[in-house]
Amino acid sequence: MLQLQQVSVAYQTSQVVKAICFSLQAGEIGCLVGPSGSGKTSLLRAIAGFEPVSQGQVLVNGEVVSAVGVQQNPEQRQIGVVFQDYALFPHLTVGENICFGLWRQPKAQQQQKLQQLLQLVGLSGMAGRFIHQLSGGQQQRVALARALAPEPRLILLDEPFSGLDADLRDSLARDIRDILKQLNITAVMVTHDQHEAFAMADWIGVMAHGSLQQWGTPYQLYHQPSNRFVADFIGQGDLIRGEMLDGYQVKTCLGLFRQAQHTGFAAGTAVDLLVRPDDILHDDASPLRAKVLSRAFRGAHMLYQLQVGMNEQISCLAPSHHQHQLGEMIGISVQIDDLVCFARAVNQV
């Protein structure tokens, strides 16, 4: 349904998006995540047709809609857009906002579509309300319904939950995913919040400095990051020093770890091993001890920052009824299923 082939975007002489490639099948949801200034929104605007591409091409359902010398108008692309600020009309009712793009259709057909969409997004009976009478979450649902009204091939969402509180963001993300899946609509969402991406996406692209660092499933990004940036940006994790004993085993201060697949590193290579908080288990019976440096209450869990050996630091997510004081030595055990190793830089000690 959507293909990006070596897509670049430039403003004057500054290239802000560089040779991006990815694709989505019909009904799949993709998310672009990354820090501010990484090029996420510029790429989304290029897909929508609001910005021309300086290289490569964008295809929607096999049709080239953007390329050098080709710029199909946004309204011809059959793409719905949900903007960060919703862009709803305050002087129009909910129903009038949703039907705004249906003015060519007969009134009876508009009303039938309106009732279907209101039920779909959970706003039945609210067609006559004005925008200022709605909560933020309800306004977001109106914006989605308006984007869905013309029956687009593709939906683009630009930071759609940024103005909402955390609990509402999570529930709304799940609801919108369910709606898009029910309608089998392909979607691309831009966000800086990886939790939103995990809640919404089938595929996630991590961007930095205008480049796509990795495109994969949420599981792949978390457990098999392709580089240090992705490992640091997705989830929490620490890199500890290790040495490869062979291509399958790495020796660290936490012990010896191995996997069935070759890591790609030769024996004797100095590496950094990625350790996630869920790899570290609180275990009073374990002979491996760690010093509590800090702790943060997370409701059902406590996130501990621990020191192992001379100066290695790791995180541990333990049940919150395990209360330990700063400076206390606690027992831990380690379960690492995927060895994610990066070659240690020459200037690292």
Side-chain angles (χ1 to χ4, degrees):
M1 178 55 72
L2 176 67
Q3 287 180 281
L4 274 70
Q5 300 176 348
Q6 299 293 326
V7 170
S8 298
V9 178
Y11 298 132
Q12 284 136 10
T13 58
S14 176
Q15 195 175 52
V16 295
V17 173
K18 307 165 189 173
I20 302 295
C21 296
F22 68 80
S23 64
L24 289 170
Q25 302 297 323
E28 290 186 329
I29 300 173
C31 284
L32 298 171
V33 300
S36 297
S38 59
K40 309 182 300 294
T41 296
S42 294
L43 184 58
L44 200 75
R45 290 176 60 82
I47 297 171
F50 302 146
E51 301 290 347
V53 301
S54 59
Q55 176 188 326
Q57 55 185 13
V58 178
L59 295 89
V60 178
N61 204 24
E63 177 186 5
V64 176
V65 296
S66 285
V68 177
V70 177
Q71 182 70 5
Q72 190 180 80
N73 291 332
E75 62 270 17
Q76 296 174 311
R77 299 188 181 204
Q78 290 182 262
I79 294 177
V81 182
V82 179
F83 297 97
Q84 183 174 355
D85 60 358
Y86 312 149
L88 299 171
F89 302 111
H91 62 288
L92 300 181
T93 65
V94 167
E96 290 167 340
N97 267 280
I98 293 173
C99 293
F100 184 79
L102 304 179
W103 58 273
R104 288 189 179 91
Q105 297 182 9
K107 285 291 184 184
Q109 191 173 338
Q110 288 186 36
Q111 287 303 307
Q112 182 180 12
K113 174 63 69 68
L114 173 61
Q115 296 308 317
Q116 291 172 346
L117 288 169
L118 287 172
Q119 183 175 4
L120 183 68
V121 300
L123 295 177
S124 295
M126 296 189 181
R129 293 193 186 182
F130 285 91
I131 300 307
H132 71 272
Q133 297 174 308
L134 304 179
S135 68
Q138 289 171 332
Q139 290 180 29
Q140 181 60 268
R141 292 171 186 272
V142 174
L144 177 64
R146 185 180 63 181
L148 292 171
E151 299 182 4
R153 300 181 291 187
L154 178 67
I155 287 280
L156 305 178
L157 304 104
D158 184 13
E159 299 272 9
F161 313 118
S162 59
L164 306 175
D165 64 70
D167 289 340
L168 185 55
R169 284 203 304 264
D170 290 344
S171 62
L172 195 55
R174 289 192 296 269
D175 288 347
I176 290 180
R177 174 181 167 84
D178 290 343
I179 291 168
L180 294 174
K181 287 297 182 181
Q182 182 179 336
L183 298 175
N184 197 40
I185 290 181
T186 311
V188 180
M189 184 176 83
V190 159
T191 179
H192 64 274
D193 187 330
Q194 57 184 275
H195 299 294
E196 290 176 10
F198 285 154
M200 282 282 292
D202 302 305
W203 299 91
I204 298 175
V206 180
M207 294 190 65
H209 310 296
S211 297
L212 189 62
Q213 303 294 309
Q214 186 173 355
W215 178 262
T217 65
Y219 181 92
Q220 288 170 336
L221 293 177
Y222 188 83
H223 291 287
Q224 298 153 11
S226 61
N227 58 40
R228 286 175 180 268
F229 180 86
V230 177
D232 183 59
F233 188 82
I234 297 293
Q236 288 181 294
D238 301 284
L239 292 168
I240 64 170
R241 292 171 295 176
E243 180 183 350
M244 300 305 302
L245 298 186
D246 55 33
Y248 305 90
Q249 299 182 93
V250 59
K251 182 181 179 182
T252 74
C253 64
L254 295 175
L256 181 67
F257 304 99
R258 65 170 292 117
Q259 67 178 20
Q261 286 183 303
H262 199 285
T263 61
F265 293 105
T269 304
V271 297
D272 291 320
L273 174 68
L274 177 65
V275 181
R276 299 287 194 189
D278 44 301
D279 296 330
I280 307 300
L281 306 178
H282 181 274
D283 183 359
D284 288 325
S286 173
L288 180 61
R289 315 299 284 180
K291 181 180 179 180
V292 176
L293 298 179
S294 66
R295 64 182 188 180
F297 185 72
R298 298 289 178 86
H301 293 88
M302 188 81 75
L303 181 66
Y304 288 101
Q305 191 71 18
L306 306 175
Q307 178 180 315
V308 184
M310 295 298 293
N311 54 9
E312 297 283 14
Q313 292 189 18
I314 56 173
S315 301
C316 172
L317 201 60
S320 60
H321 60 266
H322 288 279
Q323 288 277 4
H324 295 288
Q325 304 305 312
L326 301 187
E328 185 178 345
M329 300 297 292
I330 66 172
I332 58 171
S333 57
V334 188
Q335 293 182 358
I336 300 178
D337 296 322
D338 298 296
L339 296 186
V340 178
C341 297
F342 304 105
R344 194 176 318 148
V346 175
N347 60 353
Q348 287 180 290
V349 294

Tab-separated table of all heavy atoms in Angstrom, residues 117-158:
chain	number	residue	atom	x	y	z
A	117	LEU	N	-19.659	6.813	11.610
A	117	LEU	CA	-18.365	7.231	12.147
A	117	LEU	C	-18.455	7.588	13.622
A	117	LEU	O	-17.558	7.273	14.407
A	117	LEU	CB	-17.824	8.421	11.345
A	117	LEU	CG	-17.324	8.085	9.935
A	117	LEU	CD1	-17.060	9.346	9.133
A	117	LEU	CD2	-16.054	7.236	10.007
A	118	LEU	N	-19.544	8.247	14.016
A	118	LEU	CA	-19.717	8.582	15.436
A	118	LEU	C	-19.760	7.327	16.299
A	118	LEU	O	-19.160	7.275	17.381
A	118	LEU	CB	-20.999	9.403	15.627
A	118	LEU	CG	-20.963	10.849	15.138
A	118	LEU	CD1	-22.352	11.469	15.206
A	118	LEU	CD2	-19.968	11.677	15.955
A	119	GLN	N	-20.450	6.313	15.814
A	119	GLN	CA	-20.504	5.049	16.554
A	119	GLN	C	-19.140	4.387	16.579
A	119	GLN	O	-18.712	3.857	17.618
A	119	GLN	CB	-21.538	4.114	15.911
A	119	GLN	CG	-21.714	2.799	16.674
A	119	GLN	CD	-22.813	1.932	16.095
A	119	GLN	OE1	-23.415	2.260	15.079
A	119	GLN	NE2	-23.092	0.811	16.743
A	120	LEU	N	-18.437	4.448	15.442
A	120	LEU	CA	-17.124	3.807	15.328
A	120	LEU	C	-16.122	4.392	16.314
A	120	LEU	O	-15.359	3.658	16.959
A	120	LEU	CB	-16.606	3.947	13.895
A	120	LEU	CG	-15.266	3.270	13.585
A	120	LEU	CD1	-15.392	1.753	13.635
A	120	LEU	CD2	-14.772	3.708	12.215
A	121	VAL	N	-16.125	5.729	16.464
A	121	VAL	CA	-15.127	6.374	17.328
A	121	VAL	C	-15.655	6.635	18.735
A	121	VAL	O	-14.994	7.290	19.549
A	121	VAL	CB	-14.628	7.708	16.705
A	121	VAL	CG1	-13.984	7.461	15.357
A	121	VAL	CG2	-15.756	8.735	16.598
A	122	GLY	N	-16.850	6.112	19.050
A	122	GLY	CA	-17.379	6.212	20.405
A	122	GLY	C	-17.939	7.573	20.775
A	122	GLY	O	-17.847	7.990	21.936
A	123	LEU	N	-18.528	8.288	19.805
A	123	LEU	CA	-19.086	9.615	20.065
A	123	LEU	C	-20.568	9.693	19.672
A	123	LEU	O	-21.064	10.767	19.315
A	123	LEU	CB	-18.290	10.687	19.303
A	123	LEU	CG	-16.834	10.893	19.721
A	123	LEU	CD1	-16.170	11.922	18.829
A	123	LEU	CD2	-16.734	11.317	21.179
A	124	SER	N	-21.264	8.590	19.736
A	124	SER	CA	-22.681	8.585	19.369
A	124	SER	C	-23.457	9.617	20.188
A	124	SER	O	-23.251	9.752	21.405
A	124	SER	CB	-23.278	7.195	19.598
A	124	SER	OG	-22.691	6.250	18.734
A	125	GLY	N	-24.326	10.373	19.514
A	125	GLY	CA	-25.148	11.363	20.187
A	125	GLY	C	-24.485	12.704	20.385
A	125	GLY	O	-25.073	13.607	20.995
A	126	MET	N	-23.241	12.895	19.886
A	126	MET	CA	-22.515	14.150	20.118
A	126	MET	C	-22.391	15.004	18.858
A	126	MET	O	-21.622	15.969	18.842
A	126	MET	CB	-21.118	13.859	20.670
A	126	MET	CG	-21.115	13.202	22.032
A	126	MET	SD	-19.462	13.105	22.743
A	126	MET	CE	-19.803	12.265	24.291
A	127	ALA	N	-23.142	14.688	17.816
A	127	ALA	CA	-23.002	15.408	16.543
A	127	ALA	C	-23.284	16.892	16.685
A	127	ALA	O	-22.688	17.721	15.983
A	127	ALA	CB	-23.927	14.792	15.496
A	128	GLY	N	-24.179	17.284	17.606
A	128	GLY	CA	-24.562	18.679	17.737
A	128	GLY	C	-23.681	19.498	18.655
A	128	GLY	O	-23.869	20.718	18.772
A	129	ARG	N	-22.718	18.895	19.316
A	129	ARG	CA	-21.857	19.639	20.238
A	129	ARG	C	-20.799	20.437	19.467
A	129	ARG	O	-20.401	20.080	18.367
A	129	ARG	CB	-21.160	18.694	21.211
A	129	ARG	CG	-22.115	18.020	22.163
A	129	ARG	CD	-21.355	17.351	23.299
A	129	ARG	NE	-22.222	16.567	24.152
A	129	ARG	CZ	-21.825	15.920	25.235
A	129	ARG	NH1	-20.541	15.965	25.596
A	129	ARG	NH2	-22.666	15.224	25.962
A	130	PHE	N	-20.320	21.502	20.116
A	130	PHE	CA	-19.221	22.264	19.554
A	130	PHE	C	-17.902	21.765	20.149
A	130	PHE	O	-17.880	21.129	21.214
A	130	PHE	CB	-19.407	23.761	19.809
A	130	PHE	CG	-20.453	24.383	18.919
A	130	PHE	CD1	-21.778	24.444	19.345
A	130	PHE	CD2	-20.118	24.872	17.673
A	130	PHE	CE1	-22.755	25.002	18.533
A	130	PHE	CE2	-21.086	25.431	16.847
A	130	PHE	CZ	-22.403	25.494	17.273
A	131	ILE	N	-16.818	22.091	19.474
A	131	ILE	CA	-15.511	21.532	19.831
A	131	ILE	C	-15.108	21.902	21.259
A	131	ILE	O	-14.536	21.086	21.990
A	131	ILE	CB	-14.442	22.004	18.812
A	131	ILE	CG1	-14.814	21.533	17.388
A	131	ILE	CG2	-13.072	21.478	19.201
A	131	ILE	CD1	-15.073	20.045	17.276
A	132	HIS	N	-15.413	23.138	21.687
A	132	HIS	CA	-14.992	23.554	23.029
A	132	HIS	C	-15.745	22.810	24.132
A	132	HIS	O	-15.359	22.874	25.303
A	132	HIS	CB	-15.181	25.069	23.197
A	132	HIS	CG	-16.609	25.504	23.281
A	132	HIS	ND1	-17.359	25.811	22.161
A	132	HIS	CD2	-17.451	25.665	24.353
A	132	HIS	CE1	-18.581	26.152	22.539
A	132	HIS	NE2	-18.673	26.063	23.858
A	133	GLN	N	-16.801	22.098	23.762
A	133	GLN	CA	-17.567	21.325	24.742
A	133	GLN	C	-17.029	19.903	24.910
A	133	GLN	O	-17.603	19.125	25.680
A	133	GLN	CB	-19.039	21.273	24.304
A	133	GLN	CG	-19.720	22.626	24.264
A	133	GLN	CD	-21.128	22.560	23.697
A	133	GLN	OE1	-21.345	22.012	22.612
A	133	GLN	NE2	-22.090	23.095	24.440
A	134	LEU	N	-15.945	19.580	24.221
A	134	LEU	CA	-15.384	18.229	24.248
A	134	LEU	C	-14.076	18.195	25.024
A	134	LEU	O	-13.347	19.184	25.101
A	134	LEU	CB	-15.121	17.738	22.820
A	134	LEU	CG	-16.296	17.731	21.835
A	134	LEU	CD1	-15.823	17.225	20.484
A	134	LEU	CD2	-17.447	16.884	22.357
A	135	SER	N	-13.771	17.024	25.570
A	135	SER	CA	-12.464	16.806	26.196
A	135	SER	C	-11.405	16.630	25.099
A	135	SER	O	-11.727	16.479	23.908
A	135	SER	CB	-12.502	15.551	27.070
A	135	SER	OG	-12.654	14.386	26.255
A	136	GLY	N	-10.149	16.621	25.516
A	136	GLY	CA	-9.071	16.434	24.549
A	136	GLY	C	-9.159	15.108	23.810
A	136	GLY	O	-8.956	15.027	22.596
A	137	GLY	N	-9.497	14.050	24.554
A	137	GLY	CA	-9.624	12.738	23.926
A	137	GLY	C	-10.773	12.683	22.933
A	137	GLY	O	-10.672	12.059	21.869
A	138	GLN	N	-11.880	13.374	23.272
A	138	GLN	CA	-13.020	13.412	22.349
A	138	GLN	C	-12.681	14.214	21.100
A	138	GLN	O	-13.068	13.843	19.982
A	138	GLN	CB	-14.230	14.011	23.062
A	138	GLN	CG	-14.826	13.095	24.125
A	138	GLN	CD	-15.877	13.790	24.969
A	138	GLN	OE1	-15.839	15.011	25.163
A	138	GLN	NE2	-16.823	13.024	25.490
A	139	GLN	N	-11.943	15.307	21.259
A	139	GLN	CA	-11.513	16.086	20.099
A	139	GLN	C	-10.629	15.242	19.180
A	139	GLN	O	-10.740	15.320	17.951
A	139	GLN	CB	-10.765	17.336	20.550
A	139	GLN	CG	-11.647	18.369	21.220
A	139	GLN	CD	-10.880	19.598	21.649
A	139	GLN	OE1	-9.867	19.956	21.039
A	139	GLN	NE2	-11.339	20.250	22.702
A	140	GLN	N	-9.773	14.428	19.780
A	140	GLN	CA	-8.919	13.558	18.973
A	140	GLN	C	-9.756	12.571	18.168
A	140	GLN	O	-9.456	12.281	17.000
A	140	GLN	CB	-7.944	12.813	19.885
A	140	GLN	CG	-6.966	11.889	19.181
A	140	GLN	CD	-6.090	12.636	18.204
A	140	GLN	OE1	-6.423	12.746	17.024
A	140	GLN	NE2	-4.973	13.153	18.669
A	141	ARG	N	-10.825	12.066	18.767
A	141	ARG	CA	-11.704	11.127	18.058
A	141	ARG	C	-12.443	11.817	16.909
A	141	ARG	O	-12.668	11.211	15.856
A	141	ARG	CB	-12.696	10.500	19.042
A	141	ARG	CG	-12.035	9.571	20.058
A	141	ARG	CD	-13.001	9.141	21.156
A	141	ARG	NE	-12.338	8.373	22.174
A	141	ARG	CZ	-12.169	7.042	22.156
A	141	ARG	NH1	-12.652	6.354	21.131
A	141	ARG	NH2	-11.539	6.422	23.127
A	142	VAL	N	-12.824	13.085	17.114
A	142	VAL	CA	-13.456	13.842	16.029
A	142	VAL	C	-12.475	14.015	14.870
A	142	VAL	O	-12.839	13.855	13.699
A	142	VAL	CB	-13.943	15.219	16.525
A	142	VAL	CG1	-14.475	16.057	15.352
A	142	VAL	CG2	-15.029	15.051	17.579
A	143	ALA	N	-11.222	14.342	15.198
A	143	ALA	CA	-10.209	14.525	14.159
A	143	ALA	C	-10.007	13.231	13.374
A	143	ALA	O	-9.857	13.247	12.142
A	143	ALA	CB	-8.893	14.985	14.790
A	144	LEU	N	-10.012	12.100	14.070
A	144	LEU	CA	-9.864	10.817	13.386
A	144	LEU	C	-11.071	10.532	12.494
A	144	LEU	O	-10.919	10.110	11.337
A	144	LEU	CB	-9.693	9.694	14.410
A	144	LEU	CG	-9.597	8.276	13.833
A	144	LEU	CD1	-8.352	8.120	12.974
A	144	LEU	CD2	-9.613	7.230	14.943
A	145	ALA	N	-12.271	10.777	13.017
A	145	ALA	CA	-13.483	10.536	12.234
A	145	ALA	C	-13.507	11.402	10.981
A	145	ALA	O	-13.895	10.943	9.899
A	145	ALA	CB	-14.714	10.808	13.088
A	146	ARG	N	-13.074	12.659	11.106
A	146	ARG	CA	-13.034	13.543	9.933
A	146	ARG	C	-12.046	13.016	8.889
A	146	ARG	O	-12.302	13.060	7.693
A	146	ARG	CB	-12.645	14.965	10.344
A	146	ARG	CG	-12.707	15.958	9.193
A	146	ARG	CD	-12.314	17.353	9.617
A	146	ARG	NE	-10.934	17.419	10.073
A	146	ARG	CZ	-10.358	18.540	10.520
A	146	ARG	NH1	-11.066	19.662	10.572
A	146	ARG	NH2	-9.112	18.532	10.915
A	147	ALA	N	-10.902	12.502	9.348
A	147	ALA	CA	-9.913	11.956	8.421
A	147	ALA	C	-10.426	10.681	7.753
A	147	ALA	O	-10.084	10.392	6.592
A	147	ALA	CB	-8.606	11.681	9.158
A	148	LEU	N	-11.250	9.899	8.470
A	148	LEU	CA	-11.771	8.646	7.925
A	148	LEU	C	-12.964	8.844	6.991
A	148	LEU	O	-13.255	7.977	6.163
A	148	LEU	CB	-12.201	7.721	9.067
A	148	LEU	CG	-11.100	7.149	9.968
A	148	LEU	CD1	-11.722	6.438	11.163
A	148	LEU	CD2	-10.198	6.189	9.187
A	149	ALA	N	-13.641	9.986	7.109
A	149	ALA	CA	-14.901	10.203	6.385
A	149	ALA	C	-14.781	10.017	4.869
A	149	ALA	O	-15.646	9.379	4.262
A	149	ALA	CB	-15.458	11.584	6.716
A	150	PRO	N	-13.739	10.519	4.207
A	150	PRO	CA	-13.647	10.344	2.744
A	150	PRO	C	-13.164	8.952	2.314
A	150	PRO	O	-12.903	8.752	1.131
A	150	PRO	CB	-12.627	11.421	2.319
A	150	PRO	CG	-12.465	12.320	3.493
A	150	PRO	CD	-12.721	11.465	4.696
A	151	GLU	N	-13.053	8.029	3.270
A	151	GLU	CA	-12.597	6.660	3.001
A	151	GLU	C	-11.215	6.644	2.328
A	151	GLU	O	-11.049	6.176	1.204
A	151	GLU	CB	-13.627	5.903	2.151
A	151	GLU	CG	-14.971	5.788	2.839
A	151	GLU	CD	-15.989	4.991	2.025
A	151	GLU	OE1	-15.609	4.467	0.959
A	151	GLU	OE2	-17.153	4.910	2.458
A	152	PRO	N	-10.198	7.158	3.037
A	152	PRO	CA	-8.852	7.237	2.454
A	152	PRO	C	-8.195	5.864	2.349
A	152	PRO	O	-8.576	4.910	3.027
A	152	PRO	CB	-8.106	8.123	3.446
A	152	PRO	CG	-8.778	7.840	4.753
A	152	PRO	CD	-10.234	7.658	4.417
A	153	ARG	N	-7.164	5.799	1.500
A	153	ARG	CA	-6.365	4.580	1.384
A	153	ARG	C	-5.342	4.496	2.515
A	153	ARG	O	-4.876	3.415	2.864
A	153	ARG	CB	-5.640	4.562	0.037
A	153	ARG	CG	-6.543	4.611	-1.170
A	153	ARG	CD	-5.767	4.575	-2.466
A	153	ARG	NE	-5.000	5.798	-2.716
A	153	ARG	CZ	-4.351	6.067	-3.847
A	153	ARG	NH1	-4.365	5.176	-4.831
A	153	ARG	NH2	-3.680	7.191	-4.013
A	154	LEU	N	-4.996	5.662	3.031
A	154	LEU	CA	-3.903	5.763	3.988
A	154	LEU	C	-4.211	6.881	4.972
A	154	LEU	O	-4.745	7.921	4.593
A	154	LEU	CB	-2.604	6.073	3.221
A	154	LEU	CG	-1.302	6.282	3.991
A	154	LEU	CD1	-0.847	4.994	4.652
A	154	LEU	CD2	-0.219	6.790	3.040
A	155	ILE	N	-3.883	6.657	6.263
A	155	ILE	CA	-4.048	7.673	7.303
A	155	ILE	C	-2.667	8.040	7.846
A	155	ILE	O	-1.850	7.159	8.148
A	155	ILE	CB	-4.929	7.150	8.463
A	155	ILE	CG1	-6.396	7.078	8.049
A	155	ILE	CG2	-4.792	8.031	9.694
A	155	ILE	CD1	-7.130	8.393	8.087
A	156	LEU	N	-2.411	9.350	7.986
A	156	LEU	CA	-1.169	9.842	8.580
A	156	LEU	C	-1.518	10.571	9.873
A	156	LEU	O	-2.437	11.397	9.898
A	156	LEU	CB	-0.452	10.802	7.627
A	156	LEU	CG	-0.152	10.271	6.213
A	156	LEU	CD1	0.521	11.347	5.378
A	156	LEU	CD2	0.705	9.016	6.274
A	157	LEU	N	-0.791	10.257	10.955
A	157	LEU	CA	-1.053	10.866	12.256
A	157	LEU	C	0.230	11.512	12.770
A	157	LEU	O	1.242	10.825	12.963
A	157	LEU	CB	-1.551	9.817	13.262
A	157	LEU	CG	-2.784	9.008	12.858
A	157	LEU	CD1	-2.369	7.592	12.421
A	157	LEU	CD2	-3.778	8.894	14.002
A	158	ASP	N	0.186	12.823	12.984
A	158	ASP	CA	1.369	13.569	13.411
A	158	ASP	C	1.270	13.890	14.900
A	158	ASP	O	0.496	14.760	15.300
A	158	ASP	CB	1.496	14.854	12.592
A	158	ASP	CG	2.772	15.626	12.916
A	158	ASP	OD1	3.663	15.053	13.581
A	158	ASP	OD2	2.885	16.793	12.502
